Amino acid sequence: MVRIALIPVFFILMYWAFPGHSIIALIIFALASITDSVDGYIARKYNQISTFGKFVDPLADKLLIVSAILLFVERGQMQAWAAMIIVAREFAVTGLRLVAVEGGIVIAAGLSGKVKTVISVIVICVMLTDLQKIVLIPGVITLNGLCVWLMVLSTLYSGGEYFIRNYKLLNVKK
């Protein structure tokens, strides 16, 4: 719930321009991201895994990441097509998990999904700083552009992996 509560704080800080607002927003985003690992660790260590937690945890992750992505689209740091790929993957994997649950199957987060999340958090943190303006290849790509591509590629890879591993759930003949 802390992650969800920090999202409006993150948004307000991104819109409310005062000296240092973007650094504070970055800190809030990073703290919110870290709560995911802390929450998971505590839940596993003390065996406090709940249905509510299984629902809210991935929702909080998606809301936090998508909130940053929407801000980047609005600020011109990310193209809408890139944001759409990322958001569509989240909907598709969530839909696949819902189909699995109907069949009594739980699709655990795969390594590629976890790597995608870590990459997303790291590149979003970079994109929230002035580092994103660094030119890597003049006239071709900035660090911001590389960050967007890393998010898109890790999203496509992990989404593809989820569907390849679980295509049978969709009754699709291969």
Side-chain angles (χ1 to χ4, degrees):
M1 294 305 295
V2 171
R3 233 171 310 149
I4 292 173
L6 288 175
I7 294 169
V9 176
F10 170 68
F11 257 94
I12 289 167
L13 288 166
M14 289 305 293
Y15 282 111
W16 189 18
F18 61 88
H21 77 100
S22 58
I23 296 300
I24 297 169
L26 167 62
I27 292 167
I28 294 296
F29 180 85
L31 284 173
S33 298
I34 291 168
T35 65
D36 183 27
S37 297
V38 173
D39 176 53
Y41 172 78
I42 291 170
R44 284 185 298 278
K45 182 173 180 170
Y46 296 103
N47 199 25
Q48 295 182 340
I49 298 167
S50 67
T51 303
F52 178 76
K54 288 179 190 176
F55 169 72
V56 171
D57 184 62
L59 177 64
D61 292 343
K62 288 168 183 37
L63 288 173
L64 182 63
I65 298 295
V66 170
S67 68
I69 287 170
L70 291 174
L71 283 166
F72 294 144
V73 170
E74 182 178 38
R75 293 165 75 178
Q77 282 184 262
M78 180 181 279
Q79 297 82 359
W81 65 263
M84 187 60 203
I85 288 171
I86 295 164
V87 172
R89 181 258 184 218
E90 298 303 336
F91 280 122
V93 169
T94 298
L96 182 63
R97 284 190 165 136
L98 290 173
V99 169
V101 165
E102 281 185 16
I105 300 166
V106 175
I107 299 176
L111 178 60
S112 68
K114 292 177 182 184
V115 169
K116 174 208 61 90
T117 300
V118 169
I119 288 171
S120 295
V121 168
I122 291 169
V123 300
I124 287 169
C125 287
V126 170
M127 291 170 71
L128 289 168
T129 70
D130 282 339
L131 293 174
Q132 53 96 11
K133 296 176 183 173
I134 294 173
V135 175
L136 299 175
I137 302 173
V140 178
I141 192 162
T142 61
L143 186 53
N144 185 86
L146 177 62
C147 288
V148 170
W149 276 107
L150 286 171
M151 254 200 295
V152 167
L153 293 174
S154 64
T155 294
L156 289 171
Y157 181 84
S158 68
E161 183 180 71
Y162 273 98
F163 279 90
I164 289 167
R165 284 187 174 179
N166 300 288
Y167 76 93
K168 290 178 183 174
L169 294 172
L170 300 173
N171 292 321
V172 175
K173 296 186 188 213
K174 192 172 182 184

